[in-house]
Amino acid sequence: MAIQQNPFGQVLVALVTPFQADGEVDWPAVEKHIDDCIQSGADGIVVTGTTGETSTLTDPEKIKLVEVAKSVAAGRAKIITGGGSNETAHAIELYQASEKAGADGVMIVTPYYNKPTQAGLLTHFRMVADATDLPVILYDIPGRTGVPIKYETILRLAKHPNILAVKDAKGDFSEESRVLNQTDLMYFSGDDANVLPHLSIGATGLIGVTANIASAPYRAIIDAVNAGDLHTARDAHQRLEPLVRAVMTHVPGTVAAKYILHGLGRIGSPRVRLPLVGPEEWEAALIEDELALVADVPGVDLSNFRPDRNAAAGGALPQIAGTTR
């Protein structure tokens, strides 16, 4: 297969959306967090994705996140808009508005809840990709959407000129190898625990939740793999393992990432929007037990970790419901 240019970056952060304690977007914190991630080694920022709580963001908030991220990045990182919608017409509207707002690419999630057939998926992805000139990442995450993008469907979608990549949270490495062998598609790991295994079979990069806390070690893994240095890549992977477990195991990744970022003083509140809630006491204790095992991870100084379980408790109802158009 021909090697094509990568318009997305390699270390992509699945960005959390910092909120104030009342659940409204903390825009200064958004700007600071994006800048922190880029300075730590991220060359791509995915806003309004699953980790960004897209399902409870309003459309104006989603578009403003693209605009703010584009301004903060100032050419240092690509800005990808995620989320979309399980309604094809609405997804088209959002991605067209995101393109006008300055997005460098779009990540189209498999329509959730509807449970469409593969023919429905094919039509949805094609119509959204037709509606924008931006490069497209397909987001295959059946654990959240209920429907996988099957191998045969991916092969057909690979023929669309705008569809260039897949974010894989399915974990079928044999299928991924088949697709990489038979198409020009790039793959991005959508599973923080399996970034290095994905890269080892030919993935281009990652779109990670834990990268909100630590972009630098992912940059080290990518650079080492690019240089053919498996030893360095494996060492960074192993050092990250307890941090990944802390973020991805006990509560939704968004919840844990915000809890940790707030404990490190990097965002002003760990608030999430309902139906997400902060970790319960026993969940917070498990997260903190995992963090106690983290050592020598670049950019993560846990000696300054001061968790606030009271601040993290519960969830917020925003002033405007996120389902408004």
Side-chain angles (χ1 to χ4, degrees), residues 66-82:
V66 174
E67 294 170 341
V68 168
K70 187 73 172 181
S71 175
V72 172
R76 297 176 296 162
K78 300 295 185 181
I79 305 304
I80 314 301
T81 185

Side-chain angles (χ1 to χ4, degrees), residues 22-233:
D22 63 0
E24 297 306 301
V25 178
D26 185 342
W27 293 107
V30 170
E31 294 182 11
K32 179 181 181 299
H33 184 48
I34 292 170
D35 187 62
D36 285 347
C37 291
I38 294 172
Q39 289 199 47
S40 296
D43 55 7
I45 302 291
V46 178
V47 296
T48 76
T50 304
T51 307
E53 299 178 69
T54 185
S55 57
T56 53
L57 294 172
T58 65
D59 286 2
E61 286 172 334
K62 293 174 184 177
I63 302 309
K64 185 173 179 179
L65 279 163
V66 174
E67 294 170 341
V68 168
K70 187 73 172 181
S71 175
V72 172
R76 297 176 296 162
K78 300 295 185 181
I79 305 304
I80 314 301
T81 185
S85 173
N86 64 332
E87 178 197 2
T88 305
H90 188 202
I92 289 171
E93 289 178 357
L94 281 171
Y95 288 126
Q96 288 177 332
S98 295
E99 183 174 7
K100 291 179 181 178
D104 296 300
V106 299
M107 186 173 73
I108 311 175
V109 69
T110 309
Y112 40 88
Y113 189 74
N114 314 60
K115 294 189 76 173
T117 63
Q118 293 299 304
L121 295 184
L122 191 67
T123 303
H124 175 85
F125 287 126
R126 281 175 171 169
M127 290 192 72
V128 176
D130 282 343
T132 174
D133 292 327
L134 294 176
V136 169
I137 303 172
L138 305 175
Y139 187 9
D140 190 5
I141 182 166
R144 286 185 180 271
T145 65
V147 181
I149 313 174
K150 291 188 176 179
Y151 163 74
E152 296 82 2
T153 305
I154 295 175
L155 292 188
R156 295 175 73 181
L157 288 166
K159 297 177 181 178
H160 193 289
N162 290 351
I163 296 174
L164 303 185
V166 177
K167 177 185 176 182
D168 181 82
K170 189 163 56 181
D172 186 336
F173 289 94
S174 60
E175 179 182 282
E176 180 176 336
S177 293
R178 292 174 71 193
V179 174
L180 288 169
N181 279 341
Q182 296 181 49
T183 74
D184 293 333
L185 289 175
M186 293 173 279
Y187 263 74
F188 289 86
S189 175
D191 179 357
D192 286 11
N194 281 321
V195 167
L196 184 55
H198 274 287
L199 294 170
S200 72
I201 63 169
T204 297
L206 64 111
I207 301 175
V209 181
T210 309
N212 280 279
I213 300 159
S215 297
Y218 286 110
R219 181 81 262 162
I221 290 173
I222 288 288
D223 290 346
V225 170
N226 289 344
D229 183 355
L230 178 60
H231 175 79
T232 297

